[in-house]
Amino acid sequence: MMTPAATALGIHLRVLVEDSSSSAAQVVVDAPVGSASDEEAILALVEGADVLTFEHEHVPNALLDRLVAAGVAVRPDAAALVHAQDKIVMRSHLDAIGVPIPRWRPLTAREELDDFLAQVGGAAVVKTARGGYDGKGVRVVRASHEVADWLDAMASGAGVPLLVEEKVPFTRELAVLVARRPSGEVRTWPVVESVQQDGVCAEVVAPAPDLHAGTQAEALEVATRIAEGLGVTGVLAVEMFEVPAPDGGDPRVLVNELAMRPHNSGHWTLDGAVTSQFEQHLRAVLDLPLGDTSPLATWTVMANVLGSSLPDPTDALAEVVGRDPQAKVHLYGKQVRPGRKLGHVNVSGTDLADVRARARAAAALLRGERNG
Ligand code: ADP
């Protein structure tokens, strides 16, 4: 999705792909095949490039440090990226810079979890510190035996570090997308609401409906503080919980998760904002002036296409675009698998109920649901 923006700006993209049939390889001409942990492949990738950036966080930080030492512009660099790779490092640093997050602690033994559960009086959420995505590596527990497998694996040295945090009684999930360039300029897009189903983002509403002024100000301030405090370059997505204020004032936010790259919560910007997150990421990592982040419509709703009963979602394309000429379809060229993010649809307009219904209907048709 970065390709059209790069083409328009005259930027040559070279992308390392794990497979020659991957989504990126279908649209980027210069797409060598290799693993993100293969030093030789990365060295060949950066040859002659102005900057190295990422579309996922699973990259070896020691190698990135060596590249920086060799004069390669790595954006974001390993020191920033680690906060999107390791939930314990991230929470420790957010605590240190005063960003509100759920009550948490690292977990090294079962007794610590028993103590924490006794303190919070009920349910808590145990998470693997590394490698989780789309809710994998997240378990709601009421008793420590429910994560006995993870604790045993960690104790034997085969597992990954764990943390536990309070189960937050949130009213909804919000996200703020922010871009920062090395010379310091920062821009945020409007706060959005993200609707999750089974730990996966299903829908994003931009801007978040009925957002209180105080909540909006806090969300934007927190995202900016994180981008600056962690030295992020490029696009950063900050996922948050909205929680009722204890004093009955405007709802507050608690930060849950960070992604240092264009993110699903920002796909609406492809059609709904003056500058998309993909163009902005390129501008930011190249240290170009950032683009206007204003919305183009009162509302934009992004609906994900999660799995499909069709052999290929393009089988429904004629019907989708025929029914709704304003729906913007983005398909990723992926093989259909149950629940897999195959694409998304953006619909913009002035009536939220109508915009939401049309985005959902289009995504449902692409999933192969006839009465969507
Ligand atoms: P991942 O990194 O795998 O996406 P997250 O930490 O974002 O995992 O959690 C996935 C989902 O689980 C969140 O979007 C939220 O709905 C729920 N969740 C995560 N942490 C908590 C929490 N502390 N309290 C309540 N719900 C949570």
Side-chain angles (χ1 to χ4, degrees):
M1 285 183 267
M2 220 174 275
T3 307
T7 305
L9 294 173
I11 295 165
H12 180 90
L13 281 186
R14 181 184 303 147
V15 60
L16 185 68
V17 295
E18 297 221 313
D19 188 305
S20 58
S21 66
S22 69
S23 300
Q26 292 171 35
V27 293
V28 181
V29 177
D30 192 355
V33 176
S35 153
S37 54
D38 177 346
E39 176 150 1
E40 228 170 278
I42 305 238
L43 288 173
L45 184 78
V46 300
E47 186 68 42
D50 291 312
V51 59
L52 172 67
T53 188
F54 314 95
E55 58 133 22
H56 64 66
E57 287 97 5
H58 310 292
V59 287
N61 287 2
L63 171 58
L64 299 185
D65 284 337
R66 286 201 294 282
L67 291 173
V68 171
V72 178
V74 177
R75 296 183 183 148
D77 66 12
L81 202 59
V82 67
H83 300 95
Q85 295 167 326
D86 189 313
K87 293 178 199 266
I88 292 178
V89 175
M90 182 262 272
R91 281 166 175 71
S92 303
H93 201 154
L94 294 191
D95 272 339
I97 61 173
V99 167
I101 59 174
R103 194 148 46 113
W104 75 286
R105 62 159 300 158
L107 265 191
T108 52
R110 188 167 178 157
E111 303 73 54
E112 291 167 352
L113 181 51
D114 292 328
D115 282 354
F116 193 88
L117 285 165
Q119 274 172 40
V120 296
V125 182
V126 177
K127 299 184 177 185
T128 55
R130 284 177 168 262
Y133 64 97
D134 282 351
K136 296 173 182 63
V138 173
R139 240 184 248 175
V140 177
V141 300
R142 293 182 173 277
S144 55
H145 69 78
E146 293 170 64
V147 281
D149 51 342
W150 286 358
L151 288 164
D152 290 347
M154 190 180 54
S156 73
V160 291
L162 300 175
L163 67 95
V164 60
E165 65 188 13
E166 64 183 306
K167 184 167 185 293
V168 175
F170 60 83
T171 43
R172 59 177 168 171
E173 297 188 56
L174 302 173
V176 178
L177 201 65
V178 50
R180 180 176 175 275
R181 58 190 277 223
S183 52
E185 187 189 5
V186 173
R187 281 192 190 242
T188 52
W189 283 263
V191 182
V192 301
E193 176 176 344
S194 76
V195 182
Q196 314 280 321
Q197 274 166 15
D198 305 322
V200 180
C201 173
E203 190 173 290
V204 168
V205 182
D210 305 319
L211 190 65
H212 288 233
T215 316
Q216 168 171 293
E218 186 183 29
L220 295 174
E221 188 278 322
V222 157
T224 303
R225 183 138 44 109
I226 295 172
E228 290 175 340
L230 273 48
V232 179
T233 47
V235 165
L236 163 75
V238 182
E239 297 182 86
M240 307 174 180
F241 300 125
E242 183 186 68
V243 291
D247 59 4
D250 286 352
R252 306 294 306 271
V253 296
L254 296 173
V255 171
N256 175 42
E257 181 68 327
L258 306 181
M260 286 182 201
R261 53 181 161 78
H263 184 253
N264 200 176
S265 62
H267 285 358
W268 71 275
T269 62
L270 278 167
D271 303 296
V274 175
T275 308
S276 81
Q277 61 168 348
F278 297 99
E279 175 176 347
Q280 197 81 303
H281 188 73
L282 289 169
R283 289 163 78 137
V285 299
L286 288 164
D287 206 12
L288 294 168
L290 299 179
D292 186 347
T293 51
S294 306
L296 290 169
T298 315
W299 301 106
T300 297
V301 172
M302 188 271 337
N304 274 334
V305 181
L306 300 170
S308 183
S309 58
L310 303 170
D312 189 310
T314 55
D315 294 348
L317 201 52
E319 188 170 3
V320 172
V321 297
R323 274 204 201 181
D324 190 342
Q326 292 178 349
K328 294 299 205 177
V329 175
H330 300 263
L331 293 171
Y332 310 154
K334 290 184 184 173
Q335 292 283 318
V336 174
R337 280 207 301 261
R340 191 177 199 192
K341 282 180 191 162
L342 302 172
H344 68 270
V345 180
N346 287 331
V347 177
S348 299
T350 51
D351 177 344
L352 177 56
D354 171 64
V355 166
R356 193 196 301 256
R358 284 164 47 209
R360 285 181 183 175
L365 284 171
L366 293 163
R367 282 196 305 269
E369 292 165 25
R370 296 300 314 160
N371 301 318

